[in-house]
Structures are given as C-alpha cells and as structure tokens.
C-alpha cells in the first residue's frame, strides 16, 4: 500500500512538472510570435526550445547546478536594471490603494504568486548531493527572498507606470513596461530587446529545471540507471501538450489551474512525508524503550 501511494504521488509530481515545462514553452512561443517572429509558426519556436532543453537535461546533477550558477548574473543584473530604469515613468498615485479595491481576489492572487515558487522543489533533488546539506535551508530562504523581491519590483514598476486599469488590459504587461523604459541621453531608447534576451534565459533555466525534475522523477519511478533516455522519450508528449491550448486565453486558464494544483501537490506531499517520518521515529523510540 505504501509503495503504491509513493508511486502515485511521484507520478503526479512528474506529470505536474511536465505540464509546467510545456506551458512555459508555449508562453514564450506566444511572446515570440506576437513581438518578433510574427510569420513564424509557434510550433517551430516551441520545438526549438524543447529540443534545447532535452539536450541540456542529459547532463548530471553537478553540471545542472553549474548551469544555473552561470546564468544567475545574466538574469538578476539586467532584470533589476530594466525595472529600476522603468521607474522613471512611474506615478506613485497609480499604486493607491495598496491592497486594491477587490479584496475577494486576494487569496486567488496569493495562490497564483505562490505557484511561481514551486520550481524550488528541485532543491529536494540537489540536497543529497550537497557537501554541506545543512545549509540548504538558508540558501532556499535567501533564494525565495531575492526572487520575491524581484517579482514585487516588477509588479510595482508595471502598475505604477500604466495604472491598474490599463495593466489588466495588457497581455504582456512586463514586456510593455520594458518598452517604455529608456536610458537617459539617448544611449538606449528601448530596452524591450534586452528584456526579451533576459526572458529567454529565464525561460530556458525554468524549462531546464522542470524538465530535469520530470526526467529524474521518471527514472526513479521505473528504476532506471540514467535519466537521459527519458529526456528524449518524453519530448513528444510535452510538445503535444504545449500546442493543445487553442488560444492565449485558454492557455492562461490552464496555466492558472496547473500552477495552483502543482503548488498544493509540492507543498502537501513533503509535509505528508515529514509527518510519516516523525511518526516512525516515535514508534522506534517506543519500541526501544
């Protein structure tokens, strides 16, 4: 019974992160065909991203960690610079009232934001390979603080620039915010090109993380020695799901529910395992006494 439940939960996590990989590829594909490559079929953009991700996931866990470490400065530095530059067009009055006028949507918004952090579940795979696993908690807290502050700055700069009513009409508000930003003196009048490069790096690292977790979990489920086989085997299924949404509106609905379900799954399953571990320790102590 325990083995079956373990297999079921791991399978759900595997499916959840496979869907996240597909949705991430579809999202960036939509951005590319609406801003840069308007005559290019979205399937081409998606398959290129997925093939690049699949080839990268064949690396071991050490190279997986170093790839993220390498790209980190190229994400935080330019993103923070674009956000701070866009604040020159901001109006503080657009941020009032701070908590908004529709309080009934606060919980739904909190769930959507919390779902953005579920990729941190990959840390549970890295901990066994760490030389100092006791520092994992400290590193995770700092990572969530940095990512959370970056998300907060993006929201503040976008709403302060366009206002709440205009922001809800924009499909890609952060990209539009980058278009309004410019460096004084005429050095760079539009930063949206740089933002797209930063977004591409962010999309690649996100897909690399979620797809690696999918392949690694599948390997553990079926007791294979290497996850490289699944990086190729799962690719067609992820591609099919990425092109399933008929339009951008259906995509957003699927992404919202997938994020919420995945968040509860990655939150409740570790808590359940922790409770089981605590109960087992108590039973062992009772038997020893």
């Amino acid at each position: 019974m325990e083995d079956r439940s373990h297999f079921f939960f791991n399978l759900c996590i595997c499916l959840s992160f496979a869907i996240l990989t597909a949705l991430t590829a579809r999202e960036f594909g939509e951005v590319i065909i609406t801003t840069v490559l308007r005559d290019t079929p979205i399937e081409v953009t998606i398959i290129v991203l997925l093939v690049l991700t699949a080839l990268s996931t064949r690396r071991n866990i050490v190279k997986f960690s170093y790839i993220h470490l390498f790209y980190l400065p190229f994400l935080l530095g330019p993103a923070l610079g674009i956000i701070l530059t866009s604040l020159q067009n901001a109006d503080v009055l657009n941020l009032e009232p701070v908590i908004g006028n529709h309080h009934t949507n606060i919980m739904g918004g909190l769930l959507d934001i919390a779902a953005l952090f579920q990729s941190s579940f990959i840390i549970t795979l890295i901990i066994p390979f760490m030389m100092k696993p006791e520092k994992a908690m400290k590193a995770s807290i700092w990572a969530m603080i940095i990512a959370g502050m970056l998300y907060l700055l993006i929201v503040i700069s976008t709403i302060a620039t366009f206002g709440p009513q205009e922001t809800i009409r924009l499909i890609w508000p952060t990209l539009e915010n980058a278009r309004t930003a410019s460096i004084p003196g005429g050095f760079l009048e539009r930063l949206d090109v740089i933002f797209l490069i930063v977004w591409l790096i962010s999309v690649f690292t996100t897909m690399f993380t979620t797809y690696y977790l999918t392949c690694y979990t599948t390997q553990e489920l079926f007791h294979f020695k290497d996850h490289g086989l699944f990086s190729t085997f799962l690719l067609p299924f992820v591609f099919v799901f990425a092109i399933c949404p008929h339009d951008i509106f259906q995509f957003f609905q699927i992404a919202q529910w997938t994020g919420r379900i995945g968040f509860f799954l990655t939150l409740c399953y570790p808590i359940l395992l922790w409770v089981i571990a605590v109960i087992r320790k108590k039973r062992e102590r009772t038997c020893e006494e």
Side-chain angles (χ1 to χ4, degrees), residues 39-154:
D39 296 329
T40 303
I42 190 173
E43 292 82 3
V44 175
T45 304
I46 292 175
I47 195 62
V48 169
L49 286 173
L50 290 177
V51 170
L52 178 62
T53 303
L55 292 176
S56 302
T57 52
R58 290 178 173 271
R59 308 296 186 267
N60 57 30
I61 196 71
V62 177
K63 294 180 180 179
F64 169 84
S65 303
Y66 276 116
I67 287 176
H68 284 82
L69 183 64
F70 173 79
Y71 281 115
L72 183 61
F74 298 99
L75 285 174
L76 294 181
L80 186 61
I82 293 173
I83 293 170
L84 296 178
T85 304
S86 65
L87 288 175
Q88 62 184 337
N89 302 319
D91 186 358
V92 181
L93 294 177
N94 289 330
L95 299 174
E96 297 180 356
V98 176
I99 61 174
N101 295 316
H102 304 285
H103 299 169
T104 56
N105 296 328
I106 291 180
M107 289 305 300
L110 289 175
L111 288 176
D112 293 335
I113 295 299
L116 296 175
F117 292 90
Q118 61 181 303
S119 295
S120 59
F121 189 78
I122 190 68
I123 297 177
T124 58
L125 298 182
I126 301 177
I127 291 177
F129 300 93
M130 289 182 176
M131 296 181 64
K132 299 180 180 179
E134 64 276 3
K135 293 186 177 181
M137 180 62 71
K138 182 180 179 180
S140 302
I141 292 175
W142 273 109
M144 286 189 285
I145 290 175
I146 294 173
M149 292 300 297
L150 186 62
Y151 287 144
L152 181 61
L153 287 174
I154 290 174

Side-chain angles (χ1 to χ4, degrees), residues 57-277:
T57 52
R58 290 178 173 271
R59 308 296 186 267
N60 57 30
I61 196 71
V62 177
K63 294 180 180 179
F64 169 84
S65 303
Y66 276 116
I67 287 176
H68 284 82
L69 183 64
F70 173 79
Y71 281 115
L72 183 61
F74 298 99
L75 285 174
L76 294 181
L80 186 61
I82 293 173
I83 293 170
L84 296 178
T85 304
S86 65
L87 288 175
Q88 62 184 337
N89 302 319
D91 186 358
V92 181
L93 294 177
N94 289 330
L95 299 174
E96 297 180 356
V98 176
I99 61 174
N101 295 316
H102 304 285
H103 299 169
T104 56
N105 296 328
I106 291 180
M107 289 305 300
L110 289 175
L111 288 176
D112 293 335
I113 295 299
L116 296 175
F117 292 90
Q118 61 181 303
S119 295
S120 59
F121 189 78
I122 190 68
I123 297 177
T124 58
L125 298 182
I126 301 177
I127 291 177
F129 300 93
M130 289 182 176
M131 296 181 64
K132 299 180 180 179
E134 64 276 3
K135 293 186 177 181
M137 180 62 71
K138 182 180 179 180
S140 302
I141 292 175
W142 273 109
M144 286 189 285
I145 290 175
I146 294 173
M149 292 300 297
L150 186 62
Y151 287 144
L152 181 61
L153 287 174
I154 290 174
V155 173
I156 290 175
S157 62
T158 303
I159 297 179
T161 300
F162 298 108
Q165 296 302 322
E166 182 64 24
T167 301
I168 62 177
R169 295 188 179 95
L170 299 174
I171 299 179
W172 315 111
T174 310
L175 177 60
E176 297 297 334
N177 189 24
R179 285 178 173 175
T180 63
S182 62
I183 298 178
F187 180 71
L188 281 176
E189 296 184 356
R190 292 181 60 179
L191 299 180
D192 54 325
V193 177
I194 299 178
F195 178 77
L196 282 175
I197 296 174
V198 175
W199 199 348
L200 175 60
I201 298 174
S202 176
V203 166
F204 169 72
T205 53
T206 302
M207 292 177 59
F208 182 40
T209 300
T210 54
Y211 197 61
Y212 193 95
L213 181 62
T214 302
C215 298
Y216 189 87
T217 307
T218 308
Q219 171 207 344
E220 293 295 324
L221 279 177
F222 296 100
H223 305 288
F224 277 72
K225 295 183 178 179
D226 186 22
H227 66 276
L229 173 65
F230 295 101
S231 65
T232 304
F233 176 75
L234 297 175
L235 187 63
F237 300 98
V238 177
F239 173 75
V240 169
F241 192 87
I243 62 176
C244 277
H246 299 295
D247 50 39
I248 191 65
F249 302 103
Q250 188 180 25
F251 161 78
F252 281 130
Q253 291 178 352
I254 296 175
Q256 184 181 48
W257 284 106
T258 301
R260 293 181 179 182
I261 295 173
F263 170 71
F264 282 111
L265 183 63
T266 54
L267 178 66
C268 296
Y269 185 43
I271 292 177
L272 177 62
L273 293 178
W274 176 74
V275 171
I276 295 174

Side-chain angles (χ1 to χ4, degrees), residues 14-30:
C14 177
L15 293 175
S16 175
F17 280 92
I19 294 173
L20 281 177
T21 305
L23 293 177
T24 304
R26 175 60 183 267
E27 181 181 20
F28 191 74
E30 292 285 353

